[in-house]
Amino acid sequence: MMPDLDEYKWIVPDFIWELDEHIDFEKLIKALPDADDLAKLLPDFDKIGESFTSLKGFFSPGSPGETAFRATDQGYDNDKQYKKVSDKEKIDQLQEELLRTQLKYQRMLERLEKENKELRKLVLQRDDKGIHQRKLKKSLIDMYSEVLDILSDYDASYNTQDHLPRVVVVGDQSAGKTSVLEMIAQARIFPRGSGEMMTRSPVKVTLSEGPHHVALFKDSSREFDLTKEEDLAALRNEIEIRMRNSVKEGCTVSTETISLSVKGPGLQRMVLVDLPGVISTVTSGMAPDTKETIFSISKAYMQNPNAIILCIQDGSVDAERSIVTDLVSQMDPQGKRTIFVLTKVDLAEKNVASPSRIQQIIEGKLFPMKALGYFAVVTGKGNSSESIESIKEYEEEFFQNSKLLKTCMLKAHQVTTKNLSLAVSDCFWKMVRESVEQQADAFKATRFNLETEWKNNYPRLRELDRNELFEKAKNEILDEVISLTQVTPKHWEEILQKTLWERVSTHVIENIYLPAAQTMNSGTFNTTVDIKLKQWTDKQLPNKAVEVAWETLQEEFARFMTEQKGKEHDDIFDKLKQAVKEESIKRHKWNERAEDSLRVIQHNALEDRSISDKQQWDAAIHFMEETLQSRLKDTESVIEDMVGPDWKKRWLYWTGRTKEQNIRNETKNELEKLIKCNEEHAAYLANDEVTTVRKNLEARGITVDPCLIKDTWHQIYRRYFLKTALNHCNLCRRGFYYYQRHFVDSELECNDIVLFWRIQRMLAITANTLRQQLTNTEVRRLEKNVKEVLEDFAEDNEKKVKLLTGKRVQLAEDLKKVREIQEKLEAFIEALHQEK
């Protein structure tokens, strides 16, 4: 009754064959019953055969027994019926005796396997401590799993498809997929829920043999001890968190694969992928496309011609309600790589009226699906707190007493998850050996094509993948940030002073200088100026200055980041640099205390009226003239737009005035006459003056609105005032001597020059203060922000994919991946041949 294991010697590691050096097998053999004792336990099969033959001849139609049976009287008929009943009981007794014998030897075999498992565990532990250096069988499946991990991230854009084998676990939702996988892994590792969708993304589980029962993720070094309940709970929680994090907003399931390795003594080596359960309808709380997404994920894994499909069917529900069997039939119509598993057989046997229906399901007669093998398993009593050991005991006990085995509807090798695990592992490695070399050749050809394409398109460039390009760009960006410290103080102060004046000049002219200049004497002028300067310094000026400094820093930073460096410039980094610049500026916060200290400095600067030398006086005059000339030019432009082109432009460019421009021009002429009559006219027109101008225009047949007169007057008077102020600047060029004497005994007053000197000095002191803050504090803080942004981007693969794009990047990425896959595949094939 012992199975022939000659064909499976490769499963057992080499050191098992060397155990006789460490274990006294003679004592072990003596402890076992001898052949004679075992023979006594076996039934007399010759007698059983004779009994079956006689019974067959007795009940066959047309036999002498039948004739005799018909010819006898009623008394003999009753005697024959009694004999028939007793023969049937004898057959049942013989069948029960045969089953008991089978179970007895099966338990003996399980005991030996358990002892073998303990011995392997001891040897593996010794291996782990460094006594034996050969770990080929232990690492072979890990090598294969690494290849699959790389392939899962590889975008096959060059017709290179992933046809490497793995076991794909598919089934309807709540059919028991996860439970079967846990029984194979011998640990309750997956999150559970009553009727709720728990598997939200594909989970790749790599099973391998090891001295300790542990699990770990491919991107983590933490080991979860599967013999401890707290570690199991932590592992289930981590898997659930990873699943939920992989699901994008507005979706229910994800295509992102979670990779998990499980090691333990006695585990069958293989790679399984647990997929989300197939659903028939979308329930509340699910995304509308959930059903289609699960179908597409399942098809994507099953369409691999070398994938082994582990089709899970819930035995407790009607087979006709299954969705997954139709899907599997479409992907593998001949059933050459499908293994069918019927779960919850205990419930099926209890609820199904006809046990033969279970046999029809197992044999695939109730639906059009073919398979390599059919299995029936029990995955517990439905209690999530059950241990794997208790489930195994319950499963064995159920099948020992099940009618399905007693009536030979199921064969012994078709039941229990243990037999299923052995069959799946055997099929997996058979598929691996048949297909792995072909896949290696395909990747070799792909690598050659990619290398040829690179040489033809980028012969002078190194093959830098996305991560290497990011590191190169990172160094360039940090060098450019450091360049900010090399900007000269003079450049900082010039650009700060110029930008700040551009920002505040309108306020100074319109709200400070012009209102003060309308006063009648110097005392009132100075008083007005002091009040308005104080209000401006308290409320607006420091904030404006900090804004200017921050914008200047941004502009200089952007200039260094976008500045092309001749032949060394690589435009592939432009999007990344722009994103780093924007994010760094977004994170940068100017020192809040800067405004308070700047306010004091600016207030003190504006309080000072002492011009120490003629050079400063001339500089103030020059500053005032430039400012007023700029304003005068703007005013002239506005007046020209109002009244239209003059006679020269009309003749030279053949242009004319509109009707409104003609009205404006006539109004302008009237207002200019008014100013000529009174050169000391106030800034505003009186109502009677507006009426006079309107009546004069009406006398010439021109109807004018009073608002138009006032609007035109504002620009005309502004031009007149600016021209007058510029003439006054000319007169004040020789006024420094009078200024030193405080304009005593002089009709010349140059208070406006002093105002512009105060403004100019405030701008210089503010620019100097801001420059010191920039170079001493803000540039360094910006550099720190840039480093933090680069570190964040380095950890965000999606960001790198988005910012480093183009054919060159993708080609380098594909080359790196294909080379890595090919090298690992070749190493795996070499190890596979050594094991063989």
Side-chain angles (χ1 to χ4, degrees):
M1 302 299 292
M2 296 286 285
D4 183 8
L5 299 175
D6 290 341
E7 297 180 2
Y8 300 96
K9 285 185 177 180
W10 60 272
I11 296 177
V12 182
D14 294 343
F15 55 75
I16 294 299
W17 309 116
E18 301 170 2
L19 286 177
D20 57 348
E21 298 176 9
H22 309 284
I23 300 170
D24 191 351
F25 284 103
E26 291 182 1
K27 291 183 180 180
L28 186 63
I29 292 168
K30 288 177 182 178
L32 295 173
D34 57 15
D36 294 335
D37 295 334
L38 290 173
K40 291 177 182 178
L41 297 172
L42 293 172
D44 191 343
F45 291 105
D46 294 334
K47 290 184 178 180
I48 294 172
E50 289 175 5
S51 299
F52 275 116
T53 304
S54 63
L55 286 170
K56 182 179 178 183
F58 186 77
F59 289 111
S60 60
S63 64
E66 183 181 9
T67 307
F69 177 78
R70 290 175 181 173
T72 55
D73 56 8
Q74 187 66 32
Y76 183 77
D77 211 15
N78 292 336
D79 185 53
K80 192 73 177 176
Q81 188 174 2
Y82 171 77
K83 285 183 179 180
K84 181 179 177 182
V85 171
S86 90
D87 287 339
K88 185 178 180 183
E89 288 177 354
K90 189 174 182 180
I91 292 171
D92 291 340
Q93 288 174 358
L94 289 172
Q95 284 183 341
E96 288 180 5
E97 185 180 354
L98 181 62
L99 279 173
R100 281 197 299 271
T101 307
Q102 285 180 336
L103 292 172
K104 181 177 180 181
Y105 282 101
Q106 187 174 353
R107 282 195 292 271
M108 189 181 295
L109 181 63
E110 287 175 355
R111 189 176 72 249
L112 290 171
E113 285 179 348
K114 188 175 181 180
E115 291 175 1
N116 182 29
K117 180 179 174 181
E118 293 297 324
L119 290 171
R120 287 173 64 83
K121 184 176 179 179
L122 289 171
V123 174
L124 285 169
Q125 285 175 340
R126 293 174 65 189
D127 240 5
D128 213 29
K129 294 175 181 176
I131 296 175
H132 297 284
Q133 298 299 321
R134 189 167 177 258
K135 296 185 180 181
L136 179 63
K137 292 186 184 297
K138 181 181 176 182
S139 61
L140 190 62
I141 189 66
D142 294 327
M143 294 169 65
Y144 185 75
S145 181
E146 285 178 9
V147 176
L148 295 182
D149 284 336
I150 299 168
L151 276 169
S152 66
D153 300 329
Y154 176 60
D155 179 18
S157 55
Y158 289 89
N159 298 323
T160 302
Q161 297 177 354
D162 173 15
H163 288 168
L164 288 173
R166 71 264 280 157
V167 181
V168 180
V169 187
V170 295
D172 298 325
Q173 186 180 353
S174 302
K177 294 185 298 79
T178 301
S179 299
V180 171
L181 199 54
E182 286 181 334
M183 290 293 289
I184 295 173
Q186 297 181 20
R188 307 300 292 266
I189 58 177
F190 290 104
R192 317 188 75 77
S194 56
E196 182 185 355
M197 178 182 286
M198 299 306 296
T199 307
R200 295 178 177 271
S201 67
V203 182
K204 182 175 78 68
V205 182
T206 303
L207 299 179
S208 60
E209 195 172 23
H212 307 291
H213 204 184
V214 294
L216 65 158
F217 295 97
K218 76 168 185 176
D219 56 354
S220 173
S221 59
R222 179 186 176 183
E223 281 193 351
F224 297 87
D225 189 347
L226 301 183
T227 60
K228 296 179 180 178
E229 189 55 42
E230 56 269 23
D231 275 26
L232 277 170
L235 176 61
R236 290 193 289 266
N237 184 55
E238 179 67 19
I239 291 174
E240 186 172 3
I241 290 171
R242 286 174 179 252
M243 282 185 183
R244 294 191 181 278
N245 290 341
S246 68
V247 177
K248 296 179 181 178
E249 188 176 352
C251 299
T252 306
V253 293
S254 168
T255 57
E256 186 178 330
T257 304
I258 297 171
S259 186
L260 179 71
S261 294
V262 178
K263 301 177 186 292
L267 291 183
Q268 299 300 318
R269 301 175 300 164
M270 56 183 142
V271 178
L272 304 102
V273 183
D274 186 22
L275 299 180
V278 178
I279 59 174
S280 57
T281 56
V282 177
T283 59
S284 61
M286 291 184 180
D289 63 342
T290 302
K291 180 180 176 181
E292 290 74 16
T293 305
I294 293 174
F295 266 81
S296 64
I297 292 172
S298 301
K299 286 181 179 179
Y301 277 91
M302 288 193 292
Q303 70 186 3
N304 177 358
N306 296 319
I308 300 160
I309 303 171
L310 198 62
C311 180
I312 310 296
Q313 169 69 40
D314 188 348
S316 65
V317 299
D318 293 336
E320 292 83 352
R321 289 166 55 188
S322 174
I323 308 170
V324 73
T325 50
D326 293 335
L327 181 61
V328 172
S329 298
Q330 294 174 16
M331 306 309 296
D332 184 25
Q334 300 302 319
K336 293 182 178 180
R337 51 190 180 89
T338 300
I339 296 176
F340 179 82
V341 183
L342 187 69
T343 62
K344 306 177 185 178
V345 182
D346 52 339
L347 298 177
E349 189 179 58
K350 186 187 301 182
N351 299 332
V352 177
S354 173
S356 61
R357 184 174 175 82
I358 298 176
Q359 185 181 14
Q360 290 178 326
I361 296 173
I362 287 292
E363 293 175 355
K365 294 179 179 178
L366 286 184
F367 34 75
M369 194 190 86
K370 298 178 182 179
L372 279 173
Y374 299 88
F375 288 84
V377 298
V378 174
T379 55
K381 300 178 182 178
N383 185 0
S384 61
S385 61
E386 288 180 283
S387 67
I388 295 295
E389 289 301 322
S390 64
I391 296 173
K392 287 170 70 176
E393 290 175 4
Y394 172 69
E395 184 182 43
E396 290 174 4
E397 181 183 352
F398 167 77
F399 282 117
Q400 284 175 9
N401 303 317
S402 173
K403 296 178 182 177
L404 299 172
L405 276 180
K406 289 182 178 180
T407 57
C408 298
M409 291 184 184
L410 293 176
K411 298 175 183 177
H413 71 270
Q414 287 184 293
V415 298
T416 73
T417 49
K418 183 177 180 180
N419 290 333
L420 170 65
S421 178
L422 288 167
V424 173
S425 177
D426 187 28
C427 187
F428 170 76
W429 283 105
K430 181 182 177 183
M431 192 75 81
V432 167
R433 285 183 170 84
E434 290 175 354
S435 62
V436 69
E437 292 191 7
Q438 182 182 358
Q439 290 300 303
D441 291 340
F443 279 103
K444 188 175 181 180
T446 303
R447 175 177 175 175
F448 175 78
N449 294 339
L450 293 173
E451 287 176 344
T452 304
E453 187 176 358
W454 182 276
K455 289 175 183 176
N456 292 334
N457 289 287
Y458 311 105
R460 298 176 179 271
L461 295 175
R462 285 192 301 132
E463 298 166 9
L464 299 179
D465 62 24
R466 191 170 274 111
N467 289 330
E468 291 168 335
L469 285 170
F470 182 83
E471 287 300 317
K472 184 179 178 182
K474 177 181 175 181
N475 293 330
E476 281 191 17
I477 291 169
L478 292 176
D479 289 343
E480 288 158 359
V481 174
I482 291 174
S483 299
L484 279 173
T485 60
Q486 308 302 318
V487 177
T488 62
K490 182 181 179 182
H491 177 78
W492 278 121
E493 291 185 17
E494 285 178 353
I495 195 168
L496 284 167
Q497 188 169 342
K498 179 183 177 183
T499 309
L500 181 59
W501 177 239
E502 288 174 355
R503 191 66 57 84
V504 302
S505 59
T506 301
H507 181 86
V508 170
I509 299 297
E510 302 296 333
N511 298 339
I512 299 176
Y513 173 60
L514 288 179
Q518 306 305 317
T519 58
M520 303 302 296
N521 55 64
S522 61
T524 309
F525 178 89
N526 290 331
T527 302
T528 305
V529 165
D530 290 344
I531 292 171
K532 290 187 176 292
L533 286 177
K534 180 70 167 59
Q535 293 172 347
W536 183 45
T537 307
D538 289 342
K539 296 179 181 179
Q540 299 179 20
L541 182 57
N543 181 262
K544 289 285 184 185
V546 169
E547 284 182 8
V548 167
W550 177 217
E551 291 174 9
T552 303
L553 178 61
Q554 292 180 46
E555 290 171 3
E556 288 298 301
F557 179 45
R559 181 171 68 85
F560 281 109
M561 290 282 283
T562 57
E563 189 177 39
Q564 296 189 4
K565 297 175 175 62
K567 294 182 179 179
E568 296 180 3
H569 177 72
D570 196 343
D571 56 4
I572 206 168
F573 300 141
D574 289 348
K575 287 173 70 176
L576 175 61
K577 289 182 176 181
Q578 181 68 20
V580 171
K581 182 195 78 173
E582 291 174 358
E583 184 63 24
S584 302
I585 289 171
K586 183 180 177 182
R587 295 186 186 185
H588 189 84
K589 302 292 182 185
W590 199 273
N591 190 349
E592 295 178 355
R593 294 177 295 175
E595 285 190 24
D596 297 332
S597 58
L598 193 60
R599 183 178 289 107
V600 175
I601 293 170
Q602 290 172 335
H603 182 72
N604 292 336
L606 289 171
E607 284 290 316
D608 189 8
R609 296 186 181 83
S610 301
I611 304 176
S612 57
D613 54 35
K614 183 72 164 57
Q615 187 177 359
Q616 291 184 17
W617 181 268
D618 291 340
I621 291 174
H622 180 69
F623 176 55
M624 182 177 173
E625 283 181 336
E626 281 188 345
T627 304
L628 295 180
Q629 283 173 355
S630 173
R631 296 288 160 176
L632 179 60
K633 185 177 180 182
D634 293 341
T635 305
E636 293 281 7
S637 177
V638 171
I639 293 173
E640 184 176 347
D641 291 339
M642 289 171 61
V643 302
D646 57 12
W647 65 272
K648 286 183 179 179
K649 289 183 178 179
R650 292 201 301 274
W651 280 101
L652 289 173
Y653 302 108
W654 290 81
T655 57
R657 290 172 174 161
T658 63
K659 182 178 179 181
E660 184 181 353
Q661 287 176 337
N662 281 321
I663 295 171
R664 290 268 191 182
N665 185 56
E666 295 296 330
T667 307
K668 177 189 75 100
N669 293 335
E670 283 294 323
L671 293 173
E672 285 177 346
K673 293 177 183 177
L674 192 63
I675 290 176
K676 285 181 181 178
C677 295
N678 183 11
E679 292 183 354
E680 295 182 0
H681 198 287
Y684 301 99
L685 279 177
N687 290 332
D688 57 344
E689 291 176 321
V690 172
T691 305
T692 303
V693 171
R694 183 169 57 82
K695 287 183 176 181
N696 290 341
L697 291 172
E698 286 177 352
R700 298 207 298 270
I702 300 171
T703 304
V704 183
D705 186 72
C707 292
L708 185 143
I709 296 172
K710 290 180 179 180
D711 185 37
T712 308
W713 167 258
H714 176 73
Q715 298 300 331
I716 299 300
Y717 182 80
R718 184 184 179 86
R719 181 176 65 178
Y720 168 75
F721 173 81
L722 291 172
K723 287 182 177 180
T724 305
L726 281 169
N727 291 331
H728 184 66
C729 279
N730 241 349
L731 294 174
C732 286
R733 288 185 184 279
R734 53 187 178 83
F736 182 66
Y737 170 74
Y738 299 105
Y739 165 77
Q740 289 179 318
R741 298 182 58 190
H742 305 289
F743 298 105
V744 177
D745 300 329
S746 172
E747 296 180 359
L748 186 64
E749 291 183 357
C750 298
N751 294 308
D752 47 358
I753 305 295
V754 177
L755 168 63
F756 276 89
W757 178 82
R758 292 164 71 183
I759 298 293
Q760 188 181 36
R761 186 167 180 273
M762 181 275 298
L763 292 172
I765 292 173
T766 301
N768 179 268
T769 304
L770 293 173
R771 188 265 305 166
Q772 292 182 46
Q773 188 173 356
L774 279 170
T775 55
N776 295 339
T777 307
E778 301 303 330
V779 170
R780 293 178 184 175
R781 290 179 61 218
L782 180 61
E783 183 181 353
K784 183 181 177 182
N785 287 341
V786 171
K787 289 180 179 177
E788 290 176 356
V789 170
L790 287 170
E791 288 173 2
D792 292 345
F793 282 12
E795 296 174 359
D796 191 342
N797 288 326
E798 290 185 5
K799 186 79 74 175
K800 286 192 282 189
V801 170
K802 183 179 178 181
L803 298 175
L804 291 171
T805 57
K807 180 181 177 181
R808 173 180 148 200
V809 182
Q810 193 58 50
L811 190 57
E813 282 285 300
D814 291 338
L815 258 173
K816 178 190 174 185
K817 287 280 175 65
V818 169
R819 281 174 180 158
E820 190 175 5
I821 293 167
Q822 187 199 357
E823 289 168 3
K824 288 189 178 293
L825 269 177
E826 289 175 352
F828 171 75
I829 291 169
E830 184 180 351
L832 197 63
H833 288 165
Q834 288 179 14
E835 183 184 65
K836 210 170 184 180

